[in-house]
Amino acid sequence: MPMDRQLKNILTSVLAALVLLFISVLSCHAQSLSQAAARINVQVGTAVNPFFFSNPQYAQTLAREFNMIEPENAMKWTATEPAPGKFNFTAGDEVVAFAAVHHMKVRGHNLLWGQHNPAWLDSGQFTTEQLHEMMKAHIIAVASHYRGKVFAWDVVNEALGNHGEVKPGIWYDRPGIGLAGKETEYVAQAFRWAHQADPDALLFYNDYDAEGLNAKSNGIYAMVKDFKKRGVPIDGVGLQMHVGLDNVPKDVAANIERLTALGLQVQITEMDVRLPINSSGELLDPTDLERQAKIYGEIAGICAAHPGCTAFQTWGFTDRYSWIVHFTHGKYGQPLLFNAAYEPKPAYQAVLDALSKANPKIARRRAEIAARH
Ligand code: XIL
């Protein structure tokens, strides 16, 4: 072999070794979730409440660990349209401002839901024509206001039931916007209006108990497949992932696989893992923290391993503020990555490890999918 070829071979090997070393140093020593996530081009996020931004521990933990935030309630109807036709973006704007300062993306949540709507909407007696106009006006006003500020929207939240059927509700058939009996057509219409208002935002359908393969996720799959076929502007499906020790979904990877095969992306949008607690809020079994960690690690690992899973998000980050205790009437709590004193729990370490261990080779592919419309 001529000398210069030999030298070239040696140099190539040295370079390859250096690159490998660099990658492994990066992967072993990620100091935060966002550092580990950046290496594999995944967004790592949490739901937030802007009311707590003035708390230094809250703000510092957020800024250090996450590269994406989503308002827990601040962009829902109750916040954004507290009176008919009167919009208020104050709280949502605070989320956007915090994200801008800390170079984070904002995930918008949500434009249409059958629950947690303002009382004026729930108890009003509206005609289908009025509801049609109200739904259109709301989606267009909110999505237009946040155009260029929110990179992705949960356009419709929780429209399907446990058997994959369209749930009854104000937007569908009580009395609905004029599309009652037309199955998912009102959902499709929400996506069209959202796209009209913000053509650059990624548009998601978001739901719970449909993370693995089951009747509900089959219904979602059929709906989004139909949307893709008919050119309804949808970009992805959000898997909420509110789980407990006894109801961890199976076949999550297979569900992600079939959804992404349609040309959609998937995001884990609201993960928490509830643990049984006593009336003082203490764990019934402290070793549950390890079980919780394992579940977090598994799901984060599944997302990190699939290029079509573009975000991993938890529903809050400190056990101090989680909706679970209230939601489960005090039976469950401590569902998040940090304890009430903002200290990382075993679950935090498990997510950090899962993200750090993920193969960086799919990072470019993930970035392509994340940017695709
Ligand atoms: C919850 C919030 O966490 C609570 O603060 C609020 O009272 C009700 O809504 N699925 C969703 C979220 O999509 O919007 C819900 O958030 C939790 C379940």
Side-chain angles (χ1 to χ4, degrees):
M1 198 186 292
M3 268 302 272
D4 58 343
R5 168 95 61 90
Q6 231 171 4
L7 193 66
K8 207 169 147 197
N9 283 349
I10 293 170
L11 280 178
T12 315
S13 316
V14 169
L15 196 67
L18 280 176
V19 169
L20 270 181
L21 187 73
F22 183 64
I23 289 171
S24 63
V25 164
L26 270 186
S27 66
C28 296
H29 295 288
Q31 301 287 314
S32 65
L33 300 178
S34 55
Q35 261 182 29
R39 196 183 127 263
I40 53 169
N41 278 339
V42 82
Q43 300 299 135
V44 63
T46 174
V48 297
N49 182 344
F51 180 78
F52 302 125
F53 287 163
S54 55
N55 170 338
Q57 271 183 311
Y58 188 92
Q60 282 160 15
T61 311
L62 263 182
R64 188 183 70 233
E65 300 292 341
F66 300 96
N67 59 23
M68 172 175 93
I69 51 178
E70 170 167 320
E72 183 169 354
N73 293 304
M75 289 185 192
K76 292 174 180 170
W77 274 68
T78 329
T80 52
E81 197 175 345
K86 302 265 177 285
F87 291 91
N88 181 342
F89 298 115
T90 315
D93 288 353
E94 287 174 36
V95 174
V96 170
F98 185 93
V101 170
H102 299 287
H103 313 289
M104 297 160 149
K105 289 196 178 191
V106 179
R107 225 182 155 275
H109 174 83
N110 57 58
L111 295 173
L112 199 76
W113 196 9
Q115 277 179 47
H116 294 279
N117 284 321
W120 66 262
L121 180 57
D122 278 340
S123 57
Q125 299 284 317
F126 300 104
T127 64
T128 53
E129 290 76 20
Q130 284 172 322
L131 283 172
H132 179 276
E133 285 315 300
M134 286 156 55
M135 174 171 146
K136 180 177 181 185
H138 182 88
I139 291 177
I140 291 186
V142 179
S144 305
H145 178 83
Y146 288 111
R147 185 170 176 178
K149 295 173 177 158
V150 155
F151 86 109
W153 271 109
D154 286 330
V155 177
V156 179
N157 205 34
E158 305 179 356
L160 301 194
N162 286 342
H163 306 290
E165 80 286 6
V166 180
K167 273 185 198 164
I170 182 169
W171 305 116
Y172 179 46
D173 60 353
R174 291 184 180 170
I177 62 165
L179 297 169
K182 299 221 161 58
E183 301 296 319
T184 58
E185 198 47 37
Y186 89 90
V187 178
Q189 189 54 59
F191 277 83
R192 292 192 195 102
W193 284 327
H195 184 66
Q196 183 185 324
D198 186 352
D200 295 326
L202 295 168
L203 304 183
F204 281 74
Y205 174 79
N206 188 51
D207 216 327
Y208 63 94
D209 285 355
E211 292 81 9
L213 300 175
N214 57 32
K216 184 167 182 176
S217 69
N218 289 345
I220 294 173
Y221 177 73
M223 173 177 75
V224 298
K225 187 175 180 189
D226 170 59
F227 285 2
K228 284 300 275 184
K229 200 176 86 193
R230 294 196 290 129
V232 176
I234 184 168
D235 301 290
V237 174
L239 307 179
Q240 291 187 7
M241 204 68 73
H242 294 290
V243 304
L245 298 180
D246 303 325
N247 67 341
V248 182
K250 293 185 187 58
D251 308 314
V252 177
N255 197 30
I256 294 177
E257 191 58 52
R258 69 172 172 172
L259 289 167
T260 55
L262 296 173
L264 294 166
Q265 47 185 296
V266 168
Q267 301 191 334
I268 309 296
T269 52
E270 308 186 8
M271 185 159 180
D272 48 25
V273 182
R274 66 190 67 171
L275 301 178
I277 55 170
N278 64 23
S279 54
S280 317
E282 293 150 354
L283 293 180
L284 296 190
D285 180 352
T287 64
D288 279 349
L289 287 177
E290 298 303 329
R291 292 182 194 94
Q292 178 183 54
K294 191 159 170 284
I295 297 168
Y296 265 109
E298 271 166 22
I299 301 294
I302 289 172
C303 182
H306 201 297
C309 186
T310 52
F312 175 82
Q313 179 168 259
T314 55
W315 204 239
F317 59 99
T318 164
D319 288 339
R320 182 178 285 263
Y321 310 117
S322 160
W323 75 305
I324 285 294
V325 180
H326 177 75
F327 178 66
T328 65
H329 308 287
K331 290 204 179 78
Y332 294 89
Q334 304 195 23
L336 295 167
L337 301 182
F338 295 84
N339 68 18
Y342 296 88
E343 289 154 354
K345 293 161 63 182
Y348 170 87
Q349 194 57 47
V351 173
L352 186 65
D353 289 348
L355 299 178
S356 302
K357 269 192 233 141
N359 187 345
K361 276 195 185 141
I362 61 166
R364 182 192 293 211
R365 177 96 191 91
R366 182 171 359 247
E368 282 164 12
I369 295 174
R372 184 176 62 199
H373 269 278

